[in-house]
Amino acid sequence: MAKQEQQLTELLAPTVEAAGYQLWGIELVRAGRHTTLRIFIDKAEGIMVEDCALVSREVSALLDVEDPIPNEYTLEVSSPGMDRPLFTEAQFTQYVGQKIEVKLTVPQEGRRKFKGLLTSFDGDMLVMEVDGKPCSLLFDNIDKANVVPVF
C-alpha cells in the first residue's frame, strides 16, 4: 500500500468504524490534475446507498479539518462489490481457495496481469494456480488485486 494511502487509512479507520462499518480499503487515484479518493466500506448486512452517504458526511468533515490531501479531489464512498478489491494480508488470507486477478507493479515472467486460483498466502508471497501451473507472486509487488465474482 502506498504511503499516503496508508496514512489516510490510519486517519479514517476510527471514524468509519465509529459509524458502524469496516474500512475495507482506500484507493487514491490521480489522473492528471484530478484526484479521486475512493473509500470502500463493508458490514455483515451489506452496504446500501444510505450507508455510503452517512460515511461520506462523516469522512468529509474529518478531511476538511485534517486536510491530508493538498490539492482538489473528489470523494467517493462505495461498497467493495462482488469483484471486491483486496488490500490487506487478512483479506488475501480470507480469499484463499477463490479465483482472483492480480496486477503487478513490476512485471514478472514477462507479464503484469495474472488470473487464477489463490492457493496460499503467507504474508510475503501469494501462490496462485495460473493456467494450470503454480505461480508465486511477491505481496509487495502487487499494484491491484480483485476477487473474480462467481455467478
Side-chain angles (χ1 to χ4, degrees):
M1 185 180 304
K3 185 178 179 183
Q4 190 172 20
E5 289 173 337
Q6 181 62 40
Q7 290 170 336
L8 286 166
T9 298
E10 291 168 8
L11 174 69
L12 301 176
T15 300
V16 172
E17 290 166 6
Y21 303 93
Q22 174 191 9
L23 178 60
W24 185 261
I26 288 179
E27 289 180 346
L28 192 60
V29 182
R30 292 179 178 87
R33 294 184 298 172
H34 188 72
T35 301
T36 301
L37 172 59
R38 193 169 294 125
I39 300 171
F40 297 97
I41 60 171
D42 204 8
K43 68 177 181 179
E45 305 81 36
I47 298 296
M48 306 295 284
V49 173
E50 296 80 17
D51 299 315
C52 294
L54 176 102
V55 170
S56 181
R57 284 191 300 275
E58 296 290 324
V59 165
S60 288
L62 177 62
L63 291 172
D64 287 345
V65 171
E66 296 293 330
D67 199 24
I69 303 171
N71 52 338
E72 190 175 313
Y73 64 93
T74 301
L75 173 64
E76 294 179 3
V77 178
S78 173
S79 83
M82 291 180 66
D83 61 342
R84 57 186 51 221
L86 301 173
F87 297 96
T88 66
E89 294 177 11
Q91 291 168 350
F92 278 91
T93 301
Q94 181 181 343
Y95 285 92
V96 167
Q98 299 204 25
K99 198 171 193 179
I100 66 169
E101 290 180 308
V102 175
K103 181 179 171 193
L104 301 178
T105 305
V106 178
Q108 179 176 316
E109 300 172 14
R111 60 194 274 196
R112 290 182 61 204
K113 294 181 180 181
F114 295 83
K115 184 176 185 178
L117 185 70
L118 177 59
T119 57
S120 68
F121 180 71
D122 71 7
D124 292 326
M125 192 75 66
L126 64 100
V127 179
M128 297 173 61
E129 185 178 307
V130 179
D131 301 327
K133 295 181 275 188
C135 180
S136 297
L137 304 174
L138 191 61
F139 180 69
D140 289 341
N141 190 26
I142 296 174
D143 180 40
K144 198 171 193 175
N146 291 77
V147 174
V148 175
V150 178
F151 296 99

